Amino acid sequence: MSLADSHAKGNYTVGVAASIIGANVVNAAKEDLGTIEDVIIDTRTSVVAYAILSFGGFLGLGDKHFAIPWRVLDFHAAEGYAVLKFDKERLENAPGFKAGEWPDMGDEEWVNRVDRHYGDAE
């Protein structure tokens, strides 16, 4: 199965959700940072807002989840992985949550806290 669909015209890459979910995430140093567990779409703008990253723990136990702004990930569709544009320490200190205890992602205070943590990676 292809990880990207080149049928879209213009400067677009269409990712297949089943290929994004489960993709590994690394940083520029190629350190393993976890796995994309889900993606969050802003239904007002129809834009992918966050990738939910599972990080830490052992064999799925004790994992912490992070909402990573999509803009700070560089997704390599053909290879099936994403690069987080920050080091491991920044992720370890990011606002996170436990599985099953998702934050209210519509809460402006939560959104601002996540955005301040990751800043602008452009």
Side-chain angles (χ1 to χ4, degrees):
M1 172 172 64
S2 173
L3 296 178
D5 184 347
S6 61
H7 291 80
K9 302 295 181 206
N11 193 20
Y12 299 95
T13 299
V14 178
V16 178
S19 299
I20 294 170
I21 296 171
N24 289 331
V25 177
V26 298
N27 60 16
K30 300 293 185 205
E31 294 176 290
D32 182 22
L33 299 179
T35 306
I36 296 176
E37 297 284 326
D38 213 335
V39 293
I40 305 301
I41 299 170
D42 183 334
T43 57
R44 297 166 299 171
T45 62
S46 300
V47 171
V48 176
Y50 303 100
I52 303 303
L53 177 70
S54 176
F55 172 73
F58 181 70
L59 297 176
L61 300 174
D63 283 1
K64 191 170 181 184
H65 289 75
F66 300 91
I68 308 294
W70 193 255
R71 72 179 189 284
V72 302
L73 288 170
D74 185 12
F75 197 80
H76 297 261
E79 294 85 9
Y81 71 93
V83 177
L84 179 61
K85 299 174 184 177
F86 296 110
D87 62 21
K88 192 173 190 174
E89 183 179 334
R90 191 157 192 185
L91 177 61
E92 290 171 339
N93 294 314
F97 57 96
K98 294 179 183 177
E101 296 180 14
W102 285 50
D104 176 359
M105 294 183 184
D107 176 44
E108 192 172 327
E109 184 178 316
W110 179 86
V111 170
N112 289 335
R113 189 173 77 222
V114 171
D115 282 348
R116 276 192 310 272
H117 180 80
Y118 290 101
D120 186 13
E122 302 301 326

